[in-house]
């Protein structure tokens, strides 16, 4: 995504690198993440309005530690160093960084010493910040003055106003820093003098124009899963090129209740988009392939491989296409090690591996520069219904991994109905936006129960609801007991085959968000 106005984040391995970039974009300024290995010439060519250096796990004074050339601070571009980035700035410019006598971690009261005209405008004299460091700045570089301190950290922030260089020892990007958003806003909009013109309506408008120019009169093929990313991508392409787009929606019979019909109602013949829409109802094929399979990873592989087979069959009917569209988003790029320096978290299916079973000339990824919350905003801008835009996160293998043990049509019906009741009751209680993810799963435990005057031997449904920032860690949500009671009562009374309902309190770690 090209933009006239850009702030860049230089990544030194910090765990919050994506969060920093998101916070900059919340200031309506476009932002991208680059590794500290990015050459200074490339930085100059980008002509960023500002540069932010992230945290990192190293000590900047050790041999081999990530560093950057002193020239970065002599470009006349405002630079903000965060945590490791702050220490590195001091180290490179002639200050001193040492092992701290007292390590600071967690919420810390910080005292502002300097002027509040620039970085700390609107911040109280005493404010709470999030610290996480075992080194500290023992001496600031020449030309810098200390503008904040804590009880154990003499340099919580330092500034060289003349050169617009700022070093802060804490993390303003996390919510625990009370005035963190204001501090970043002061830097990005005030000190960097950006206009704040990065907005979703302009992104959608410009991207539609870019797609039309790139595609011309070519044909585009998209595997539409019904998830947020692929749905927003389909809507964007539909607005840009209409009937030149063919969407293949493989319904593997493992979607949530009514979900296949909902996707078709939006993108099918009766929907709002004039595209070629192909729905393949392949549930029986999947159930046959999954018969007798209980191991979760094996189920994942079977579901993924069968999707390729079905999609391949449909693609062959269409013939050669010019472009294959993929719903890659910015976290996919960063987490695959292509957009920063942090540890590669996963090898993402949307990044790097081009499918060899479809005859196409080029791949297009129009959402590649967006974070998930920005994808949702784009979806609303494109006129997609809220229930689709704010759909709960859903794994690719669908209910196949929310059913413990063998997958059967009967078990799919049970978990679909139970999950539908759970989601409905949370919505009616006004709680559907509170947990970050919630769903019903089907255990492979059967137990004796009594319903009416009859003895039963049926399944136990497990309810899961978690609150999380990044899905790397998660805590169970505290759903009000009366809501859980209502959900339990409805599931047992309305879903045949269930006589017990449980609520999973496990955090991640040691558990995972899904139950597989």
């Amino acid at each position: 995504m090209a933009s006239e106005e850009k702030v860049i984040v230089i990544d030194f391995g910090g765990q919050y690198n994506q969060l920093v970039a998101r916070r900059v974009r919340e200031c309506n300024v476009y932002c991208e993440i680059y590794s500290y290995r990015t050459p200074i010439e490339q930085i100059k060519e980008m002509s960023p309005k500002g540069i932010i250096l992230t945290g990192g796990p190293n000590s900047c004074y050790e041999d081999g530690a990530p560093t950057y050339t002193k020239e970065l601070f002599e470009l006349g571009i405002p630079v903000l160093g965060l945590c490791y980035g702050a220490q590195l700035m001091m180290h490179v410019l002639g200050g001193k960084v040492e092992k701290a006598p007292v390590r600071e971690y967690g919420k810390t009261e910080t005292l502002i010493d300097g002027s509040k005209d620039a970085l700390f405008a609107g911040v109280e004299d005493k404010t709470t910040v999030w610290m996480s460091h075992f080194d500290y700045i023992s001496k600031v570089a020449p030309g810098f003055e200390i503008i904040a301190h804590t009880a154990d950290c003499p340099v919580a922030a330092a500034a060289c106003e003349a050169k617009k260089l700022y070093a802060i020892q804490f993390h303003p990007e996390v919510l625990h820093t009370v005035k963190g958003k204001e501090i970043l806003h002061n830097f990005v909009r005030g000190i960097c003098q950006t206009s704040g013109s990065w907005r979703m309506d302009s992104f959608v408008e410009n991207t539609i124009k870019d797609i039309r120019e790139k595609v011309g009169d070519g044909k585009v093929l998209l595997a539409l899963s019904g998830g947020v990313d692929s749905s927003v991508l389909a809507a964007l392409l539909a607005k840009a090129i209409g009937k030149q787009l063919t969407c293949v929606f493989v319904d593997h019979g493992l979607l949530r209740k009514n979900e296949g019909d909902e996707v078709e109602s939006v993108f099918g013949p009766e929907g709002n988009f004039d595209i070629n829409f192909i729905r393949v109802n392949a549930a029986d094929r999947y159930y046959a392939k999954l018969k007798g399979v209980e191991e979760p990873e094996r189920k994942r592989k079977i579901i993924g491989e069968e999707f390729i087979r079905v999609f391949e069959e449909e693609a062959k009917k269409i013939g050669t296409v010019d472009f294959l569209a993929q719903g890659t988003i910015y976290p996919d790029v960063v987490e695959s090690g292509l957009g920063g320096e942090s540890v590669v978290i996963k090898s993402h299916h949307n990044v790097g591996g081009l499918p060899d079973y479809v005859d196409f000339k080029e791949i297009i990824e129009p959402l590649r520069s967006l974070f998930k919350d920005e994808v949702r905003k784009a979806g609303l801008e494109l006129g997609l219904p809220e229930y689709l835009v704010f759909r709960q996160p859903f794994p690719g293998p669908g209910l196949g991994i929310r059913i413990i043990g063998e997958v059967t049509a009967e078990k799919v019906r049970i978990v679909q109905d139970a999950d539908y009741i759970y989601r409905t009751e949370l919505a009616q209680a006004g709680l559907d936006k509170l947990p970050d993810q919630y769903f019903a799963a089907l255990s492979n435990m059967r137990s004796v129960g009594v319903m009416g005057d009859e003895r039963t031997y049926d399944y136990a449904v497990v309810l899961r609801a978690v609150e999380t920032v990044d899905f790397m860690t998660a805590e169970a949500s505290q759903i009000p007991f009366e809501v859980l009671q209502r959900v339990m009562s409805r599931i047992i009374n309305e879903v045949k085959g269930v006589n017990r309902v449980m609520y999973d309190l496990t955090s991640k770690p040691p558990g995972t968000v899904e139950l597989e």
Side-chain angles (χ1 to χ4, degrees):
M1 172 70 197
S3 177
E4 292 179 7
E5 203 172 64
K6 179 194 293 185
V7 167
I8 66 168
V9 171
I10 298 182
D11 180 17
F12 292 91
Q15 61 179 315
Y16 301 127
N17 62 351
Q18 289 189 41
L19 193 52
V20 175
R22 279 183 56 193
R23 293 284 181 255
V24 173
R25 293 193 191 184
E26 285 171 7
C27 299
N28 298 119
V29 176
Y30 186 65
C31 182
E32 289 181 338
I33 302 168
Y34 292 90
S35 165
Y36 72 88
R37 293 182 173 89
T38 305
I40 189 71
E41 291 74 21
Q42 189 177 335
I43 303 290
K44 288 179 185 175
E45 285 171 13
M46 286 188 269
S47 299
K49 299 284 283 185
I51 298 168
I52 299 177
L53 313 180
T54 73
N58 302 92
S59 293
C60 64
Y61 49 78
E62 291 180 345
D63 289 342
T67 189
Y68 210 87
T69 172
K70 185 179 179 183
E71 191 181 348
L72 183 75
F73 306 103
E74 299 169 345
L75 298 176
I77 298 169
V79 181
L80 174 65
L82 310 180
C83 202
Y84 180 87
Q87 295 169 2
L88 181 67
M89 183 187 293
M90 294 297 102
H91 179 69
V92 169
L93 295 177
K96 192 169 185 182
V97 178
E98 299 179 87
K99 188 74 72 181
V102 179
R103 178 185 173 178
E104 285 186 313
Y105 183 81
K107 293 181 181 179
T108 307
E109 186 177 83
T110 299
L111 303 173
I112 308 301
D113 303 314
S115 162
K116 293 192 180 178
D117 295 335
L119 195 63
F120 292 134
V123 181
E124 295 81 3
D125 289 340
K126 287 184 181 179
T127 187
T128 299
V129 305
W130 184 260
M131 288 284 191
S132 179
H133 64 100
F134 49 82
D135 288 336
Y136 82 118
I137 299 165
S138 58
K139 179 186 173 186
V140 297
F144 282 80
E145 64 170 319
I146 297 170
I147 58 174
H149 74 279
T150 73
D152 295 311
C153 183
V155 185
C160 177
E161 298 278 2
K163 295 183 178 179
K164 294 187 177 180
L165 303 178
Y166 299 86
I168 57 179
Q169 185 58 69
F170 54 89
H171 290 279
E173 68 274 20
V174 301
L175 296 177
H176 304 302
T177 296
V178 175
K179 291 290 186 177
K181 287 185 178 181
E182 287 84 349
I183 293 168
L184 284 172
H185 191 277
N186 289 339
F187 178 73
V188 170
R189 294 292 295 273
I191 294 167
C192 297
Q193 296 186 325
T194 55
S195 64
S197 57
W198 161 253
R199 284 184 166 79
M200 200 43 62
D201 55 354
S202 60
F203 169 84
V204 168
E205 186 180 326
N206 292 335
T207 305
I208 286 172
K209 187 171 131 191
D210 291 345
I211 290 169
R212 284 175 181 156
E213 286 179 5
K214 186 175 184 70
V215 170
D217 58 359
K219 292 180 180 178
V220 179
L221 178 62
L222 168 66
L224 177 62
S225 70
V228 177
D229 301 338
S230 73
S231 295
V232 172
L233 176 56
L236 192 61
L237 291 165
K239 291 272 189 184
I241 57 173
K243 283 285 191 183
Q244 291 167 250
L245 170 66
T246 297
C247 288
V248 176
F249 170 48
V250 179
D251 186 346
H252 48 30
L254 301 169
L255 298 172
R256 289 165 287 205
K257 187 169 184 174
N258 301 329
E259 203 161 62
D261 293 340
E262 288 172 357
V263 172
E264 184 168 1
S265 71
V266 173
F267 294 105
E270 307 302 317
N272 300 325
F273 299 101
D274 186 25
I275 61 173
N276 300 304
F277 177 82
I278 300 168
R279 177 176 178 176
V280 185
N281 294 308
D284 291 343
R285 284 180 62 163
Y286 278 86
Y287 297 159
K289 291 279 186 182
L290 292 165
K291 186 175 175 59
V293 180
E294 297 188 3
E295 203 272 315
E297 193 57 32
R298 182 70 192 125
K299 286 193 284 186
R300 281 180 177 275
K301 285 180 180 172
I302 289 170
I303 293 166
E305 287 167 4
E306 194 61 16
F307 171 81
I308 291 173
R309 300 286 81 80
V310 176
F311 188 61
E312 181 180 26
E313 289 167 17
E314 296 303 320
K316 282 179 178 173
K317 294 176 191 174
I318 297 165
T320 303
V321 294
D322 300 285
F323 299 91
L324 181 70
Q326 288 191 163
T328 308
I329 65 175
Y330 201 47
D332 300 335
V333 176
V334 175
E335 290 174 2
S336 299
L338 303 178
E341 190 54 37
S342 296
V343 175
V344 175
I345 297 167
K346 63 182 177 180
S347 176
H348 199 276
H349 66 277
N350 273 345
V351 181
L354 302 185
D356 55 8
Y357 52 86
V358 178
D359 190 5
F360 68 97
K361 297 174 184 173
E362 193 176 342
I363 213 159
I364 54 172
E365 302 168 309
L367 304 180
R368 188 182 175 91
S369 65
L370 298 187
F371 286 104
K372 180 70 100 178
D373 56 325
E374 294 169 330
V375 174
R376 295 187 197 279
K377 287 176 187 172
L380 294 175
E381 195 70 36
L382 288 159
L384 288 174
E386 281 201 14
Y387 70 79
L388 200 157
V389 171
F390 292 103
R391 179 163 279 163
Q392 280 280 301
F394 194 56
L399 300 179
I401 59 168
R402 290 186 182 171
I403 293 169
I404 310 303
E406 183 185 12
V407 175
T408 66
E410 176 68 2
K411 286 182 179 180
V412 170
R413 176 196 60 78
I414 289 172
V415 77
Q416 281 180 335
D417 290 347
D419 182 72
Y420 183 77
I421 289 169
Y422 185 30
R423 288 186 288 122
T424 300
E425 288 297 332
L426 282 191
Q428 288 180 353
L431 300 171
D432 53 320
K433 298 281 197 311
L434 291 180
D436 293 290
Q437 188 168 357
Y438 52 93
F439 56 87
L442 184 63
S443 75
N444 58 356
M445 183 185 94
R446 299 181 76 183
S447 61
V448 173
V450 178
M451 298 180 75
D453 294 325
E454 294 184 3
R455 185 174 181 272
T456 62
Y457 184 64
D458 286 329
Y459 286 103
V461 161
V462 181
L463 305 178
R464 183 77 159 137
V466 298
E467 293 175 14
T468 178
V469 174
D470 54 11
F471 285 90
M472 301 301 290
T473 62
E475 296 291 335
S477 294
Q478 296 185 38
I479 306 292
F481 190 68
E482 62 271 18
V483 176
L484 291 175
Q485 285 278 77
R486 197 156 55 244
V487 173
M488 176 275 296
S489 179
R490 281 196 61 189
I491 289 175
I492 287 177
N493 282 294
E494 298 175 33
V495 183
K496 187 180 176 183
V498 178
N499 66 0
R500 199 173 292 262
V501 176
M502 299 183 285
Y503 187 66
D504 184 1
L505 292 171
T506 316
S507 61
K508 176 186 179 183
T512 60
V513 173
E514 301 286 346
L515 269 64
E516 60 175 314

